[in-house]
Amino acid sequence: MENSTTVSLSTQIGRVALPVCLYNASGARCTTAQDLLALAQSGAGAVLSKSSTMQFREGNPAPRYYETTLGSINSMGLPNLGHEFYGQHAQVHAALQSGKPYIVSVSGLSLEENVSLIGFYNEAAGIDAIELNLSCPNLPGKPQTGYDFEQVQHVLDAVCPLAKQPLGVKLPPYFDIVHFEQMAAILNRYPLAFVTCINSVGNGLVIDAHTETVVIKPKNGFGGLGGDYVKPTALANVHAFYRLLRPEIGVIGCGGVKTGQDAFEHILCGAVAVQIGTQLMREDMPVFARIAYELQTIMQQKGYTRLEDFRGKLRYL
Ligand code: DHB
């Protein structure tokens, strides 16, 4: 404790400075004004909104989120308050002077909707960056854009010339080395500030043997997995993209972070910042200060004073 001031968790996502490298994953406790205010007052180093669409959406029928000892499954269906709310919240956030950036997640239902949303957020004061979601697995009949490499190029060709704020993309997990290489080659052609790895592992199925039923209602129980189930996949994606992307594109780690050690592992794999989803749902806002303290303790024990002392320095056998 007495040395904690000598260990900094500050970081940069492109030109955006964060006082602490930990913040929420989009979707976790970031939909309403109350959620976003609580994040601004928490130990998080940034506030990221729920993925937004032009219109308000109710989302899928409940139950649509379920936790197990090893993680979570969700099929929320993009419930959100619509673009005007997240654009206006930017002014509220700025007025709080929390010293942390406000990032808006964009998840239009079509290329045209993404263009409209990014055009709108460009003009809204107080937005520090945009995370374009290419990986929602929960819309019946809509494949995840991130698995259609041609469509990814169409979307980026359309939105990159528009974006005034730093723009990043949230990717689905990939499971093949060739896919890492192909996607990185595409992303390297665009002026992206960051890439977030990973969204949930799509279309898992958690069932209850006792009741002999699925545990969530939409899509016959199929949904996106988070938590312990996904950490090795998340680390693989973070490290693969860290190695393959231009160094100006920061990789943001997301997946299976519930302790300071998990955050340390993401940063060792190359992450410039780390998002917390399932564990934020479980533990609520105190999660940020706890994991920050645990991460600082590990860094102190190892003699590290800043993230750059170990970021990306994973060693091979
Ligand atoms: C939802 C889930 C996601 O994984 C995502 O990226 C966007 C939206 C949802 O179901 O609301």
Side-chain angles (χ1 to χ4, degrees):
M1 190 66 178
E2 64 194 77
N3 284 329
S4 64
T5 52
T6 65
V7 172
S8 169
L9 298 184
S10 69
T11 193
Q12 296 265 137
I13 300 173
R15 58 182 154 86
V16 180
L18 280 68
V20 174
C21 64
L22 307 168
Y23 62 106
N24 67 294
S26 183
R29 301 188 184 274
C30 59
T31 301
T32 65
Q34 186 189 328
D35 292 336
L36 294 168
L37 289 170
L39 284 168
Q41 289 159 6
S42 76
V47 176
L48 173 58
S49 80
K50 171 67 183 171
S51 282
S52 58
T53 53
M54 289 298 286
Q55 305 296 328
F56 166 91
R57 286 173 60 89
E58 195 75 56
N60 290 337
R64 58 194 190 177
Y65 182 83
Y66 187 88
E67 278 174 12
T68 72
T69 48
L70 292 177
S72 63
I73 184 167
N74 86 82
S75 183
M76 305 299 289
L78 224 33
N80 78 94
L81 302 185
H83 74 288
E84 286 188 15
F85 169 77
Y86 298 103
Q88 280 167 7
H89 181 79
Q91 281 121 59
V92 177
H93 181 87
L96 292 171
Q97 295 195 299
S98 63
K100 58 179 84 167
Y102 175 56
I103 307 167
V104 170
S105 171
V106 165
S107 196
L109 305 177
S110 64
L111 189 158
E112 296 71 31
E113 189 171 345
N114 282 324
V115 166
S116 299
L117 286 162
I118 289 176
F120 172 79
Y121 289 130
N122 269 332
E123 304 308 323
I127 293 173
D128 297 290
I130 294 174
E131 183 178 271
L132 175 63
N133 185 2
L134 299 179
S135 45
C136 175
N138 297 336
L139 297 172
K142 289 231 176 260
Q144 291 168 75
T145 305
Y147 289 142
D148 180 341
F149 290 11
E150 275 199 17
Q151 187 60 21
V152 169
Q153 294 174 73
H154 287 140
V155 172
L156 293 177
D157 283 337
V159 303
C160 284
L162 296 177
K164 294 183 188 164
Q165 294 104 340
L167 176 71
V169 291
K170 174 91 169 266
L171 296 177
Y174 299 100
F175 301 93
D176 194 291
I177 302 294
V178 169
H179 292 163
F180 293 140
E181 291 169 351
Q182 290 175 340
M183 183 51 58
I186 292 168
L187 297 171
N188 276 334
R189 302 207 306 264
Y190 297 93
L192 297 170
F194 65 92
V195 166
T196 306
C197 300
I198 59 174
N199 207 316
S200 57
V201 172
N203 295 299
L205 184 61
V206 172
I207 65 175
D208 183 330
H210 177 67
T211 58
E212 303 182 7
T213 66
V214 300
V215 299
I216 58 172
K217 184 176 175 78
K219 289 179 64 178
N220 293 333
F222 286 61
L225 302 177
D228 294 355
Y229 296 120
V230 314
K231 193 179 79 170
T233 297
L235 294 177
N237 278 260
V238 168
H239 195 55
F241 284 103
Y242 170 71
R243 292 188 52 157
L244 292 166
L245 291 174
R246 291 187 285 110
E248 303 78 44
I249 305 179
V251 179
I252 298 171
C254 183
V257 176
K258 62 181 187 185
T259 66
Q261 182 177 313
D262 298 322
F264 181 85
E265 291 174 12
H266 270 266
I267 297 162
L268 195 62
C269 286
V272 295
V274 177
Q275 299 177 349
I276 304 170
T278 298
Q279 190 60 28
L280 170 58
M281 295 298 292
R282 281 209 185 96
E283 187 175 340
D284 211 338
M285 301 302 159
V287 73
F288 297 108
R290 176 183 62 80
I291 293 182
Y293 178 74
E294 292 172 2
L295 176 57
Q296 284 179 318
T297 303
I298 292 169
M299 288 173 63
Q300 256 162 36
Q301 283 164 355
K302 290 173 175 278
Y304 298 143
T305 60
R306 55 198 185 102
L307 303 188
E308 291 307 311
D309 290 344
F310 66 99
R311 187 175 71 83
K313 295 188 178 165
L314 178 65
R315 293 188 294 120
Y316 308 125
L317 300 181

mmCIF file of all heavy atoms in Angstrom, residues 116-146:
data_model
loop_
_atom_site.group_PDB
_atom_site.id
_atom_site.type_symbol
_atom_site.label_atom_id
_atom_site.label_comp_id
_atom_site.label_asym_id
_atom_site.label_seq_id
_atom_site.Cartn_x
_atom_site.Cartn_y
_atom_site.Cartn_z
ATOM 1 N N SER A 116 -24.742 6.738 -40.463
ATOM 2 C CA SER A 116 -25.550 7.790 -39.817
ATOM 3 C C SER A 116 -25.107 8.025 -38.384
ATOM 4 O O SER A 116 -25.003 9.172 -37.925
ATOM 5 C CB SER A 116 -27.034 7.415 -39.812
ATOM 6 O OG SER A 116 -27.503 7.261 -41.121
ATOM 7 N N LEU A 117 -24.870 6.931 -37.654
ATOM 8 C CA LEU A 117 -24.506 7.055 -36.239
ATOM 9 C C LEU A 117 -23.163 7.755 -36.078
ATOM 10 O O LEU A 117 -23.003 8.653 -35.236
ATOM 11 C CB LEU A 117 -24.464 5.666 -35.582
ATOM 12 C CG LEU A 117 -25.843 5.038 -35.330
ATOM 13 C CD1 LEU A 117 -25.718 3.534 -35.095
ATOM 14 C CD2 LEU A 117 -26.528 5.709 -34.147
ATOM 15 N N ILE A 118 -22.193 7.370 -36.889
ATOM 16 C CA ILE A 118 -20.872 7.983 -36.761
ATOM 17 C C ILE A 118 -20.930 9.441 -37.201
ATOM 18 O O ILE A 118 -20.330 10.315 -36.564
ATOM 19 C CB ILE A 118 -19.821 7.148 -37.520
ATOM 20 C CG1 ILE A 118 -19.606 5.848 -36.732
ATOM 21 C CG2 ILE A 118 -18.509 7.917 -37.688
ATOM 22 C CD1 ILE A 118 -18.677 4.855 -37.350
ATOM 23 N N GLY A 119 -21.713 9.735 -38.216
ATOM 24 C CA GLY A 119 -21.927 11.125 -38.615
ATOM 25 C C GLY A 119 -22.515 11.939 -37.467
ATOM 26 O O GLY A 119 -22.068 13.051 -37.174
ATOM 27 N N PHE A 120 -23.495 11.375 -36.781
ATOM 28 C CA PHE A 120 -24.134 12.072 -35.653
ATOM 29 C C PHE A 120 -23.154 12.262 -34.500
ATOM 30 O O PHE A 120 -23.006 13.370 -33.969
ATOM 31 C CB PHE A 120 -25.351 11.270 -35.185
ATOM 32 C CG PHE A 120 -25.947 11.802 -33.916
ATOM 33 C CD1 PHE A 120 -26.782 12.914 -33.941
ATOM 34 C CD2 PHE A 120 -25.665 11.211 -32.695
ATOM 35 C CE1 PHE A 120 -27.321 13.424 -32.766
ATOM 36 C CE2 PHE A 120 -26.193 11.718 -31.518
ATOM 37 C CZ PHE A 120 -27.031 12.829 -31.554
ATOM 38 N N TYR A 121 -22.455 11.209 -34.085
ATOM 39 C CA TYR A 121 -21.558 11.317 -32.920
ATOM 40 C C TYR A 121 -20.370 12.241 -33.198
ATOM 41 O O TYR A 121 -19.814 12.837 -32.274
ATOM 42 C CB TYR A 121 -21.083 9.938 -32.457
ATOM 43 C CG TYR A 121 -22.178 9.105 -31.808
ATOM 44 C CD1 TYR A 121 -22.419 7.797 -32.213
ATOM 45 C CD2 TYR A 121 -22.960 9.623 -30.777
ATOM 46 C CE1 TYR A 121 -23.409 7.023 -31.612
ATOM 47 C CE2 TYR A 121 -23.953 8.868 -30.172
ATOM 48 C CZ TYR A 121 -24.168 7.564 -30.595
ATOM 49 O OH TYR A 121 -25.143 6.814 -30.003
ATOM 50 N N ASN A 122 -19.986 12.360 -34.477
ATOM 51 C CA ASN A 122 -18.926 13.308 -34.848
ATOM 52 C C ASN A 122 -19.246 14.726 -34.401
ATOM 53 O O ASN A 122 -18.348 15.500 -34.072
ATOM 54 C CB ASN A 122 -18.809 13.393 -36.376
ATOM 55 C CG ASN A 122 -17.818 12.419 -36.923
ATOM 56 O OD1 ASN A 122 -16.875 12.045 -36.247
ATOM 57 N ND2 ASN A 122 -18.038 11.997 -38.153
ATOM 58 N N GLU A 123 -20.544 15.065 -34.452
ATOM 59 C CA GLU A 123 -20.960 16.449 -34.174
ATOM 60 C C GLU A 123 -21.311 16.654 -32.710
ATOM 61 O O GLU A 123 -21.512 17.778 -32.272
ATOM 62 C CB GLU A 123 -22.163 16.828 -35.042
ATOM 63 C CG GLU A 123 -21.937 16.645 -36.547
ATOM 64 C CD GLU A 123 -20.675 17.332 -37.054
ATOM 65 O OE1 GLU A 123 -20.350 18.429 -36.565
ATOM 66 O OE2 GLU A 123 -20.004 16.742 -37.927
ATOM 67 N N ALA A 124 -21.386 15.584 -31.932
ATOM 68 C CA ALA A 124 -21.765 15.705 -30.517
ATOM 69 C C ALA A 124 -20.523 16.043 -29.698
ATOM 70 O O ALA A 124 -19.523 15.321 -29.746
ATOM 71 C CB ALA A 124 -22.387 14.393 -30.033
ATOM 72 N N ALA A 125 -20.592 17.136 -28.938
ATOM 73 C CA ALA A 125 -19.442 17.529 -28.105
ATOM 74 C C ALA A 125 -19.286 16.561 -26.948
ATOM 75 O O ALA A 125 -20.272 16.052 -26.412
ATOM 76 C CB ALA A 125 -19.654 18.945 -27.581
ATOM 77 N N GLY A 126 -18.037 16.295 -26.558
ATOM 78 C CA GLY A 126 -17.787 15.515 -25.350
ATOM 79 C C GLY A 126 -17.592 14.031 -25.570
ATOM 80 O O GLY A 126 -17.438 13.287 -24.603
ATOM 81 N N ILE A 127 -17.583 13.590 -26.818
ATOM 82 C CA ILE A 127 -17.283 12.180 -27.104
ATOM 83 C C ILE A 127 -15.796 12.097 -27.458
ATOM 84 O O ILE A 127 -15.308 12.825 -28.317
ATOM 85 C CB ILE A 127 -18.175 11.650 -28.235
ATOM 86 C CG1 ILE A 127 -19.629 11.613 -27.757
ATOM 87 C CG2 ILE A 127 -17.718 10.263 -28.690
ATOM 88 C CD1 ILE A 127 -20.620 11.257 -28.830
ATOM 89 N N ASP A 128 -15.079 11.212 -26.763
ATOM 90 C CA ASP A 128 -13.624 11.150 -26.926
ATOM 91 C C ASP A 128 -13.172 10.099 -27.927
ATOM 92 O O ASP A 128 -12.056 10.177 -28.437
ATOM 93 C CB ASP A 128 -12.977 10.888 -25.565
ATOM 94 C CG ASP A 128 -13.263 12.031 -24.610
ATOM 95 O OD1 ASP A 128 -12.715 13.127 -24.824
ATOM 96 O OD2 ASP A 128 -14.079 11.858 -23.677
ATOM 97 N N ALA A 129 -14.013 9.087 -28.167
ATOM 98 C CA ALA A 129 -13.668 8.039 -29.132
ATOM 99 C C ALA A 129 -14.924 7.244 -29.446
ATOM 100 O O ALA A 129 -15.926 7.324 -28.727
ATOM 101 C CB ALA A 129 -12.583 7.107 -28.578
ATOM 102 N N ILE A 130 -14.852 6.486 -30.533
ATOM 103 C CA ILE A 130 -15.976 5.634 -30.951
ATOM 104 C C ILE A 130 -15.467 4.200 -31.090
ATOM 105 O O ILE A 130 -14.434 3.958 -31.733
ATOM 106 C CB ILE A 130 -16.565 6.124 -32.293
ATOM 107 C CG1 ILE A 130 -17.205 7.508 -32.120
ATOM 108 C CG2 ILE A 130 -17.581 5.116 -32.836
ATOM 109 C CD1 ILE A 130 -17.685 8.141 -33.413
ATOM 110 N N GLU A 131 -16.191 3.263 -30.471
ATOM 111 C CA GLU A 131 -15.914 1.834 -30.652
ATOM 112 C C GLU A 131 -17.008 1.273 -31.558
ATOM 113 O O GLU A 131 -18.162 1.148 -31.142
ATOM 114 C CB GLU A 131 -15.887 1.093 -29.300
ATOM 115 C CG GLU A 131 -15.523 -0.381 -29.435
ATOM 116 C CD GLU A 131 -15.446 -1.110 -28.088
ATOM 117 O OE1 GLU A 131 -14.366 -1.134 -27.479
ATOM 118 O OE2 GLU A 131 -16.478 -1.661 -27.644
ATOM 119 N N LEU A 132 -16.642 0.969 -32.796
ATOM 120 C CA LEU A 132 -17.600 0.419 -33.759
ATOM 121 C C LEU A 132 -17.664 -1.096 -33.568
ATOM 122 O O LEU A 132 -16.658 -1.800 -33.723
ATOM 123 C CB LEU A 132 -17.149 0.760 -35.181
ATOM 124 C CG LEU A 132 -17.980 0.152 -36.307
ATOM 125 C CD1 LEU A 132 -19.425 0.657 -36.285
ATOM 126 C CD2 LEU A 132 -17.333 0.448 -37.665
ATOM 127 N N ASN A 133 -18.851 -1.561 -33.236
ATOM 128 C CA ASN A 133 -19.025 -2.973 -32.900
ATOM 129 C C ASN A 133 -19.259 -3.789 -34.169
ATOM 130 O O ASN A 133 -20.290 -3.622 -34.833
ATOM 131 C CB ASN A 133 -20.227 -3.076 -31.954
ATOM 132 C CG ASN A 133 -20.429 -4.474 -31.444
ATOM 133 O OD1 ASN A 133 -19.669 -5.383 -31.754
ATOM 134 N ND2 ASN A 133 -21.471 -4.661 -30.654
ATOM 135 N N LEU A 134 -18.324 -4.664 -34.488
ATOM 136 C CA LEU A 134 -18.456 -5.511 -35.682
ATOM 137 C C LEU A 134 -18.806 -6.938 -35.276
ATOM 138 O O LEU A 134 -18.564 -7.876 -36.039
ATOM 139 C CB LEU A 134 -17.144 -5.502 -36.481
ATOM 140 C CG LEU A 134 -16.690 -4.138 -37.013
ATOM 141 C CD1 LEU A 134 -15.357 -4.279 -37.772
ATOM 142 C CD2 LEU A 134 -17.751 -3.531 -37.941
ATOM 143 N N SER A 135 -19.377 -7.134 -34.098
ATOM 144 C CA SER A 135 -19.415 -8.501 -33.571
ATOM 145 C C SER A 135 -20.590 -8.828 -32.666
ATOM 146 O O SER A 135 -20.469 -9.688 -31.810
ATOM 147 C CB SER A 135 -18.115 -8.764 -32.822
ATOM 148 O OG SER A 135 -17.779 -7.660 -31.980
ATOM 149 N N CYS A 136 -21.764 -8.218 -32.881
ATOM 150 C CA CYS A 136 -22.920 -8.616 -32.062
ATOM 151 C C CYS A 136 -23.454 -9.959 -32.543
ATOM 152 O O CYS A 136 -23.853 -10.084 -33.693
ATOM 153 C CB CYS A 136 -24.034 -7.574 -32.131
ATOM 154 S SG CYS A 136 -25.508 -8.123 -31.241
ATOM 155 N N PRO A 137 -23.466 -10.977 -31.650
ATOM 156 C CA PRO A 137 -23.908 -12.303 -32.084
ATOM 157 C C PRO A 137 -25.398 -12.575 -31.855
ATOM 158 O O PRO A 137 -25.854 -13.681 -32.130
ATOM 159 C CB PRO A 137 -23.072 -13.235 -31.195
ATOM 160 C CG PRO A 137 -22.926 -12.478 -29.915
ATOM 161 C CD PRO A 137 -22.920 -11.012 -30.280
ATOM 162 N N ASN A 138 -26.153 -11.582 -31.380
ATOM 163 C CA ASN A 138 -27.476 -11.890 -30.817
ATOM 164 C C ASN A 138 -28.669 -11.388 -31.605
ATOM 165 O O ASN A 138 -29.770 -11.330 -31.081
ATOM 166 C CB ASN A 138 -27.561 -11.333 -29.389
ATOM 167 C CG ASN A 138 -26.546 -12.004 -28.483
ATOM 168 O OD1 ASN A 138 -26.125 -13.122 -28.757
ATOM 169 N ND2 ASN A 138 -26.166 -11.329 -27.418
ATOM 170 N N LEU A 139 -28.457 -11.016 -32.877
ATOM 171 C CA LEU A 139 -29.593 -10.535 -33.647
ATOM 172 C C LEU A 139 -30.004 -11.634 -34.611
ATOM 173 O O LEU A 139 -29.279 -11.940 -35.561
ATOM 174 C CB LEU A 139 -29.214 -9.253 -34.397
ATOM 175 C CG LEU A 139 -28.848 -8.080 -33.483
ATOM 176 C CD1 LEU A 139 -28.292 -6.918 -34.280
ATOM 177 C CD2 LEU A 139 -30.060 -7.642 -32.664
ATOM 178 N N PRO A 140 -31.168 -12.266 -34.357
ATOM 179 C CA PRO A 140 -31.609 -13.356 -35.224
ATOM 180 C C PRO A 140 -31.591 -12.935 -36.686
ATOM 181 O O PRO A 140 -32.071 -11.852 -37.035
ATOM 182 C CB PRO A 140 -33.038 -13.633 -34.719
ATOM 183 C CG PRO A 140 -33.031 -13.177 -33.294
ATOM 184 C CD PRO A 140 -32.103 -11.993 -33.253
ATOM 185 N N GLY A 141 -30.975 -13.753 -37.532
ATOM 186 C CA GLY A 141 -30.943 -13.460 -38.966
ATOM 187 C C GLY A 141 -29.841 -12.505 -39.406
ATOM 188 O O GLY A 141 -29.691 -12.259 -40.601
ATOM 189 N N LYS A 142 -29.063 -11.957 -38.435
ATOM 190 C CA LYS A 142 -27.971 -11.027 -38.795
ATOM 191 C C LYS A 142 -26.631 -11.643 -38.429
ATOM 192 O O LYS A 142 -26.292 -11.743 -37.251
ATOM 193 C CB LYS A 142 -28.123 -9.713 -38.016
ATOM 194 C CG LYS A 142 -29.283 -8.861 -38.474
ATOM 195 C CD LYS A 142 -28.808 -7.425 -38.736
ATOM 196 C CE LYS A 142 -29.918 -6.566 -39.283
ATOM 197 N NZ LYS A 142 -29.847 -6.396 -40.737
ATOM 198 N N PRO A 143 -25.832 -12.051 -39.401
ATOM 199 C CA PRO A 143 -24.525 -12.626 -39.060
ATOM 200 C C PRO A 143 -23.592 -11.560 -38.481
ATOM 201 O O PRO A 143 -23.777 -10.367 -38.710
ATOM 202 C CB PRO A 143 -23.987 -13.151 -40.393
ATOM 203 C CG PRO A 143 -24.792 -12.511 -41.445
ATOM 204 C CD PRO A 143 -26.066 -12.014 -40.840
ATOM 205 N N GLN A 144 -22.593 -12.012 -37.718
ATOM 206 C CA GLN A 144 -21.617 -11.079 -37.153
ATOM 207 C C GLN A 144 -20.732 -10.538 -38.277
ATOM 208 O O GLN A 144 -20.062 -11.306 -38.956
ATOM 209 C CB GLN A 144 -20.755 -11.802 -36.115
ATOM 210 C CG GLN A 144 -21.515 -12.188 -34.861
ATOM 211 C CD GLN A 144 -20.719 -13.142 -33.981
ATOM 212 O OE1 GLN A 144 -19.793 -12.731 -33.309
ATOM 213 N NE2 GLN A 144 -21.087 -14.401 -33.990
ATOM 214 N N THR A 145 -20.725 -9.221 -38.423
ATOM 215 C CA THR A 145 -19.949 -8.585 -39.496
ATOM 216 C C THR A 145 -18.492 -9.038 -39.474
ATOM 217 O O THR A 145 -17.892 -9.266 -40.525
ATOM 218 C CB THR A 145 -20.017 -7.055 -39.348
ATOM 219 O OG1 THR A 145 -21.392 -6.672 -39.311
ATOM 220 C CG2 THR A 145 -19.307 -6.355 -40.478
ATOM 221 N N GLY A 146 -17.931 -9.188 -38.282
ATOM 222 C CA GLY A 146 -16.512 -9.519 -38.163
ATOM 223 C C GLY A 146 -16.127 -10.865 -38.738
ATOM 224 O O GLY A 146 -14.931 -11.148 -38.901
#
